[in-house]
């Protein structure tokens, strides 16, 4: 058995749009629940939800999930909520999936850009023999909402798969927990699950992988995939745990307090912080360099501080070490950078600093 492809991220701590939170507030209102309590658990306003450009931390959505589960944390509510997530909920990411040539192509694209989803459980798609298995990993999901999110996420995945290929059907379905009643599961998945298993696992016929999708379009999927790539690249540059480390380094003025200290501030072990940064596609050293470069450019651009002063403010013991690092980052010395930007500011409008 082999994994079809590894998901792009190994943790739920990635930034996301507001569409999922907006969907949950509508879901609560439709069920006669006090929807205002969902946003009250966050710093968000209705205006934020109306702006498709707003990006939120995963913990904001988690707070909304907790607030909703506190109002109605039943299996039936979680499953019904999951069924409200349709391919259009995911914007350009959803359109890329539905325009893919086959279900296999759609799955590969979904795994490649998984951090454009709203999931908290990480999917692993395994192909082996006559079985195609989707297993949800909830090991890093907070225990108080793990069951709710397993049900929401799997119901959402299955709803989207039905949007892609209406005739899709599950052959088998297992959960670790025991249900209050199995009827909501049958309504959501079209199959009666087995409970008390070792994992949340859905099994499909692997022949479905090569089934052409009814809305496949080569030009559309190419355009949507390119937009997904650009969007996910922007998000990954300022994502989750990486952004939390950046913010603390900026507060320190770029001074490297050490990974142990940053981990302590985040109430994590150093080992956990290192692992989560690796899963986010970066490292502590890379973030220190990134923050120092940004601050160095801003300080040099003022024209007030000398290279030695900037080096000192960024925590370098010697200016030579800073100069070496800055040249590695930008390909030029700090002095050359400062001269270039002073010249650019002084150049007449419509005339570059090197013109003439």
């Amino acid at each position: 058995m082999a994994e079809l492809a590894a998901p792009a991220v190994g943790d739920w701590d990635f930034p996301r749009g507001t569409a999922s939170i907006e969907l949950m507030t509508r879901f609560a209102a439709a069920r006669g629940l006090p929807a205002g309590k969902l946003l009250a658990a966050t710093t968000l306003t209705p205006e934020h939800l109306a702006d498709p450009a707003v990006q939120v931390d995963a913990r904001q959505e988690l707070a909304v999930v907790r607030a909703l589960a506190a109002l109605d944390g039943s299996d039936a509510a979680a499953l019904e909520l999951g069924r409200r997530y349709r391919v259009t909920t995911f914007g350009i990411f959803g359109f890329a999936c539905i325009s893919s040539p086959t279900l296999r192509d759609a799955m590969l694209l979904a795994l490649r850009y998984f951090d454009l989803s709203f999931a908290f459980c990480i999917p692993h798609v395994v192909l082996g023999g006559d079985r195609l298995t989707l297993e949800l990993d909830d090991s890093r999901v907070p225990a108080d909402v793990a069951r709710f999110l397993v049900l929401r996420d799997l119901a959402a995945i299955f709803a989207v798969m039905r949007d892609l290929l209406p005739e899709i059907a599950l052959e088998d379905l297992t959960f670790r927990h025991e249900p209050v009643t199995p009827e909501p599961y049958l309504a959501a998945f079209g199959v009666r699950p087995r409970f008390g298993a070792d994992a949340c696992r859905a099994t499909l016929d692997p022949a479905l992988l090569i089934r052409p999708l009814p809305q496949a379009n080569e030009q559309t999927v190419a355009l949507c995939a390119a937009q997904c790539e650009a969007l996910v690249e922007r998000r990954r540059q300022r994502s989750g745990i990486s952004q939390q480390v950046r913010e603390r380094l900026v507060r320190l003025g770029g001074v490297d307090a050490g990974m142990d200290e940053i981990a302590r501030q985040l109430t994590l072990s150093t080992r956990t912080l290192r692992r989560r940064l690796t899963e986010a596609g970066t490292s502590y050293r890379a973030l220190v360099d990134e923050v120092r470069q940004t601050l160095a450019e801003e300080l040099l651009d003022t024209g007030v501080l000398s290279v030695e002063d900037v080096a000192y403010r960024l925590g370098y013991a010697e200016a030579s070490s800073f100069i070496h690092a800055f040249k590695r980052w930008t390909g030029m010395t700090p002095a050359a950078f400062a001269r270039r930007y002073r010249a650019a500011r002084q150049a007449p409008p419509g005339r570059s600093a090197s013109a003439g």
Side-chain angles (χ1 to χ4, degrees):
M1 299 181 72
E3 193 166 11
L4 190 66
V9 292
D11 204 342
W12 54 264
D13 188 16
F14 51 83
R16 33 193 87 204
T18 59
S20 179
I21 296 175
E22 194 272 337
L23 185 153
M24 284 189 279
T25 60
R26 283 191 287 109
F27 176 77
R31 292 173 69 90
L33 302 173
K37 288 190 175 181
L38 273 61
L39 286 190
T42 74
T43 59
L44 300 173
T45 66
E47 289 71 27
H48 287 131
L49 302 191
D51 186 351
V54 170
Q55 179 176 300
V56 299
D57 187 271
R59 286 174 177 77
Q60 296 267 45
E61 182 169 346
L62 184 63
V64 172
V65 170
R66 281 197 168 111
L68 179 56
L71 296 172
D72 185 352
S74 66
D75 292 358
L79 291 166
E80 179 57 32
L81 172 63
R83 295 169 68 184
R84 301 289 182 95
Y85 289 78
R86 308 307 296 266
V87 71
T88 51
T89 307
F90 299 86
I92 198 68
F93 176 50
F95 285 113
C97 291
I98 205 169
S99 305
S100 298
T102 66
L103 183 62
R104 181 190 186 96
D105 295 311
M107 283 184 168
L108 289 172
L109 188 143
L111 291 168
R112 185 183 317 134
Y113 300 119
F114 188 70
D115 40 341
L116 293 181
S117 75
F118 304 108
F120 283 83
C121 304
I122 306 301
H124 296 278
V125 183
V126 177
L127 180 62
D130 60 349
R131 296 171 67 87
L132 174 65
T133 303
L134 168 65
E135 184 172 321
L136 287 190
D137 177 8
D138 66 338
S139 60
R140 293 173 191 162
V141 178
D144 62 314
V145 287
R147 176 166 170 165
F148 190 92
L149 283 170
V150 162
L151 297 179
R152 185 203 74 161
D153 287 359
L154 187 59
I157 289 171
F158 189 58
V160 169
M161 290 175 71
R162 276 185 165 166
D163 283 343
L164 301 181
L165 196 63
E167 66 268 28
I168 202 165
L170 299 180
E171 293 187 342
D172 190 32
L173 180 61
T174 65
F175 292 97
R176 288 199 303 270
H177 61 261
E178 295 289 347
V180 175
T181 173
E183 277 65 32
Y185 294 81
L186 188 59
F189 301 110
V191 64
R192 189 176 294 273
R194 293 183 292 117
F195 299 94
D198 63 342
C200 171
R201 189 179 295 118
T203 303
L204 303 92
D205 181 355
L208 291 168
L209 285 176
I210 59 174
R211 192 76 60 85
L213 299 186
Q215 298 188 56
N217 185 292
E218 290 185 7
Q219 289 184 327
T220 301
V221 72
L223 176 63
C224 292
Q227 293 184 42
C228 284
E229 184 68 34
L231 177 58
V232 83
E233 181 63 26
R234 291 196 299 271
R235 286 193 182 179
R236 287 173 185 172
Q237 288 174 358
R238 289 289 180 270
S239 65
I241 190 67
S242 304
Q243 180 62 9
Q244 293 178 55
V245 173
R246 284 189 194 93
E247 288 171 354
R248 281 155 180 79
L249 291 170
V250 168
R251 290 176 200 163
L252 294 169
V255 176
D256 183 5
M259 194 171 185
D260 292 346
E261 172 58 20
I262 298 298
R264 187 192 66 77
Q265 293 182 23
L266 293 170
T267 65
L268 298 172
S269 69
T270 302
R271 181 178 180 181
T272 298
L273 176 58
R274 182 180 293 108
R275 172 178 58 76
R276 292 180 63 182
L277 289 175
T278 298
E279 289 170 349
T282 187
S283 67
Y284 177 77
R285 178 49 52 195
L287 294 176
V288 171
D289 282 352
E290 179 186 321
V291 169
R292 280 179 162 176
Q293 178 184 347
T294 300
L295 293 176
E297 290 177 356
E298 291 176 355
L299 292 171
L300 290 167
D301 196 32
T302 66
V304 174
L305 300 175
S306 67
V307 170
E308 288 76 15
D309 288 335
V310 173
Y312 176 77
R313 292 195 177 200
L314 295 178
Y316 287 92
E318 298 178 352
S320 59
S321 299
F322 168 62
I323 293 169
H324 176 77
F326 193 90
K327 193 170 183 180
R328 174 167 53 85
W329 301 330
T330 66
M332 66 180 74
T333 65
F337 177 92
R339 285 196 300 270
R340 191 182 77 175
Y341 276 83
R342 280 196 294 272
R345 286 199 305 271
Q346 295 167 3
R351 180 181 175 89
S352 71
S354 59

